[in-house]
Amino acid sequence: NIHWKDRLLGQENFKQMRKAMVVSQLRTTEVSDPRVIAAMSHIPREDFVPAAQRSFAYADRGVQIGEGRALNPPLTTGRLLNVAHVTKDDNVLLIGAATGYTATVLAQLAGSVTAIEANASLAATAKKNLADVAGVTIETGDHADGWDKSAPYSVIVIDGLVDQIPQTLVDQLAPDGRIVAAIMNDGVSRLALGRTAGDHIGYQYFADCGGSPLPGFEKTKSFTF
């Protein structure tokens, strides 16, 4: 059944909303990679959110998808992918598959994508949504554990806001690999690009930008006496 809001909006209006997202959110904030823009212009984000949320699919904020989770704002995902510089030579690990939107975008950019989702219900939804998308594997597992069976990865994309990036994920990066994420830093959500050099990784914060919290990366609270 078509939701009543979809009857009011219609596919043409969704197309216009998607175009407006690209023009007002991506192009005005240094998302310049033409392949990222093309992919996000093409993928119908409204198909990856519950019916009651479809009218908010392209809003500049997280979109609730159930299970206590929300899709990252389009701007956050676009800026992370822009600096990741994903190509068809890349083997990508996506942390936080959610309902499969970013995995579908990455499928247009990468050679292969492994997407991890900790929530079994969301993982099942992602598998259904990506049933006809080649080059993507959806796995169920703890976000912070990654998926070492398909490592090493030249790119790791954490599609959500985290408190920290564990060494477990860094260890799954290939030499000269890169990792992108929104990290909570001094109480502010900041987008970061990490690059490996030998046994070390260095992070560069490049924008203050909101992200939707991704479970599994909480810092252990310290006790003071």
Side-chain angles (χ1 to χ4, degrees):
N1 294 333
I2 299 176
H3 193 270
W4 67 270
K5 286 186 178 180
D6 293 346
R7 291 194 184 97
L8 292 177
L9 290 169
Q11 291 305 312
E12 190 61 35
N13 280 345
F14 278 123
K15 189 181 297 184
Q16 291 301 315
M17 291 164 65
R18 190 156 59 248
K19 181 178 179 180
M21 174 200 71
V22 171
V23 172
S24 64
Q25 296 182 45
L26 303 187
R27 291 189 181 277
T28 59
T29 52
E30 301 181 26
V31 179
S32 56
D33 187 329
R35 297 175 66 245
V36 172
I37 291 173
M40 293 184 71
S41 298
H42 172 70
I43 305 301
R45 187 174 159 93
E46 69 273 11
D47 289 350
F48 295 86
V49 301
Q53 298 294 322
R54 295 189 90 193
S55 58
F56 307 111
Y58 297 98
D60 187 16
R61 59 176 175 79
V63 182
Q64 298 299 316
I65 54 175
E67 305 295 329
R69 293 273 295 283
L71 289 187
N72 239 353
L75 171 59
T76 302
T77 297
R79 293 207 68 171
L80 291 176
L81 296 182
N82 188 70
V83 301
H85 294 300
V86 179
T87 73
K88 287 297 182 182
D89 294 327
D90 286 318
N91 178 31
V92 177
L93 174 64
L94 172 65
I95 306 295
T99 53
Y101 171 74
T102 301
T104 305
V105 173
L106 279 168
Q108 315 300 307
L109 309 174
S112 61
V113 179
T114 301
I116 304 301
E117 177 49 55
N119 184 283
S121 178
L122 291 178
T125 299
K127 287 181 180 179
K128 180 179 178 181
N129 287 338
L130 276 84
D132 298 325
V133 178
V136 181
T137 302
I138 306 293
E139 303 288 357
T140 305
D142 291 342
H143 294 145
D145 290 342
W147 195 258
D148 60 5
K149 294 179 182 178
S150 300
Y153 303 97
S154 49
V155 180
I156 296 179
V157 177
I158 301 178
D159 196 33
L161 175 62
V162 301
D163 288 339
Q164 60 186 347
I165 297 177
Q167 188 63 36
T168 309
L169 294 183
V170 176
D171 290 343
Q172 294 177 30
L173 276 172
D176 301 319
R178 51 212 185 272
I179 186 168
V180 293
I183 303 175
M184 187 59 73
N185 179 260
D186 293 331
V188 178
S189 172
R190 293 191 166 103
L191 305 188
L193 167 65
R195 289 185 178 276
T196 55
D199 296 330
H200 303 282
I201 186 166
Y203 292 98
Q204 175 187 2
Y205 293 103
F206 62 90
D208 293 353
C209 192
S212 298
L214 190 65
F217 298 93
E218 297 79 9
K219 287 183 178 178
T220 302
K221 293 183 179 180
S222 59
F223 294 93
T224 57
F225 298 93

